[in-house]
Amino acid sequence: MIGDRFGRLIVVGLECKVVNNKSHKMANCLCDCGNSKLIRASSLRDGDTRSCGCLASESARIRLTTHGNSNHPLFRVWYDMNRRC
């Protein structure tokens, strides 16, 4: 598993961690953005985790970005006209 790539993550090490009296295999991963994160190995294998969290923030930034012309004076005119229809 060391050296394998899962989405944006590369596994650089493995360790065991006990949580609630259960042992879990954890993978120390390095993300393409440069962050390092400890992630449960089963989450990587199942495809539940693909990045350190940077993928979700980038997707949200793209999804929430407007077209860039909302500050133009005619945008307010168009918006109000469209709202009245």
Side-chain angles (χ1 to χ4, degrees):
M1 187 168 203
I2 295 177
D4 290 346
R5 178 176 280 277
F6 298 93
R8 293 184 174 190
L9 297 171
I10 299 175
V11 178
V12 293
L14 295 172
E15 62 185 68
C16 287
K17 187 174 183 181
V18 177
V19 178
N20 296 333
N21 295 328
K22 294 182 182 179
S23 179
H24 297 284
K25 188 186 283 187
M26 304 294 282
N28 189 7
C29 298
L30 183 64
C31 187
D32 288 347
C33 69
N35 290 336
S36 171
K37 192 162 185 178
L38 195 62
I39 299 171
R40 191 179 290 182
S42 61
S43 294
L44 291 174
R45 281 193 308 268
D46 295 343
D48 296 335
T49 304
R50 297 179 308 189
S51 73
C52 67
C54 62
L55 183 61
S57 61
E58 285 179 15
S59 298
R61 187 178 320 118
I62 291 170
R63 188 178 67 249
L64 297 174
T65 299
T66 61
H67 48 73
N69 289 328
S70 58
N71 292 329
H72 194 277
L74 288 177
F75 177 77
R76 188 41 121 186
V77 173
W78 171 84
Y79 179 81
D80 290 337
M81 179 181 67
N82 198 21
R83 195 172 46 116
R84 287 190 298 267
C85 295

